[in-house]
């Protein structure tokens, strides 16, 4: 497993990267490009912070109703990037999540745009 430096939601992380590959398979060109583009200075994760905050409020079992989340890292901590084998450039930010420690959160990007936010089961 490799590590990369990436800025997510205003904070720099030295984060593990894993690829969807069977033993003996090579990482595809599309997987490499997906990671390179995601880790660029203006990565797509920064533009979806409001959507992530809304997801947290919606899934917090009423504990955050009427709350304005100022620090997303109180609830969501990125732990790795997952690059699935796909014909599209896909990157998932796999995160620990305060309100669902078992399933966590996956923030999935496809071709540089938010595709879906959900439990890690949506991508793993």
């Amino acid at each position: 497993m490799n590590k990369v430096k990436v800025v997510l939601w205003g904070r720099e992380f030295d984060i593990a990267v894993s690829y969807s590959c069977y033993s003996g398979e090579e990482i595809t060109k599309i997987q490499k490009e997906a990671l390179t583009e995601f880790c660029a200075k203006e990565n797509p994760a920064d533009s979806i912070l409001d959507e992530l905050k809304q997801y947290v409020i919606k899934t917090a079992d009423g504990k955050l109703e009427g709350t304005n989340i100022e620090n997303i890292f109180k609830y969501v901590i990125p732990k790795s990037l997952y690059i699935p084998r796909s014909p599209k450039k896909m990157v998932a930010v796999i995160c620990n999540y305060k309100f669902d420690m078992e399933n966590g959160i996956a923030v999935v990007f496809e071709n540089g745009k938010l595709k879906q936010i959900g439990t890690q089961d949506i991508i793993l």
Side-chain angles (χ1 to χ4, degrees):
M1 202 179 291
N2 300 330
K3 285 195 170 202
V4 294
K5 282 194 186 308
V6 65
V7 176
L8 297 169
W9 310 305
R11 187 179 289 177
E12 186 175 86
F13 290 89
D14 194 20
I15 197 163
V17 178
S18 63
Y19 296 90
S20 173
C21 288
Y22 290 111
S23 181
E25 278 186 328
E26 294 289 321
I27 297 167
T28 67
K29 180 181 176 189
I30 290 175
Q31 285 175 304
K32 290 176 187 175
E33 288 173 358
L35 179 63
T36 300
E37 289 175 16
F38 185 82
C39 293
K41 280 276 188 222
E42 294 181 27
N43 76 48
D46 291 337
S47 64
I48 63 93
L49 183 55
D50 288 336
E51 288 95 330
L52 181 58
K53 288 178 179 180
Q54 289 306 310
Y55 178 87
V56 169
I57 290 169
K58 185 176 81 176
T59 60
D61 295 328
K63 295 176 181 137
L64 297 176
E65 287 296 318
T67 303
N68 181 21
I69 297 174
E70 303 222 0
N71 181 2
I72 193 66
F73 300 111
K74 286 177 141 179
Y75 311 103
V76 177
I77 300 292
K79 66 178 183 177
S80 66
L81 299 179
Y82 176 72
I83 319 293
R85 197 171 205 75
S86 167
K88 298 178 179 173
K89 295 176 187 171
M90 293 182 67
V91 176
V93 181
I94 306 298
C95 305
N96 289 330
Y97 179 42
K98 180 178 181 173
F99 297 110
D100 188 352
M101 294 302 286
E102 184 176 327
N103 296 304
I105 288 179
V107 183
V108 182
F109 296 90
E110 182 178 279
N111 294 326
K113 304 222 181 299
L114 177 66
K115 179 178 181 190
Q116 188 175 6
I117 299 172
T119 63
Q120 294 174 11
D121 296 344
I122 64 173
I123 193 74
L124 297 179

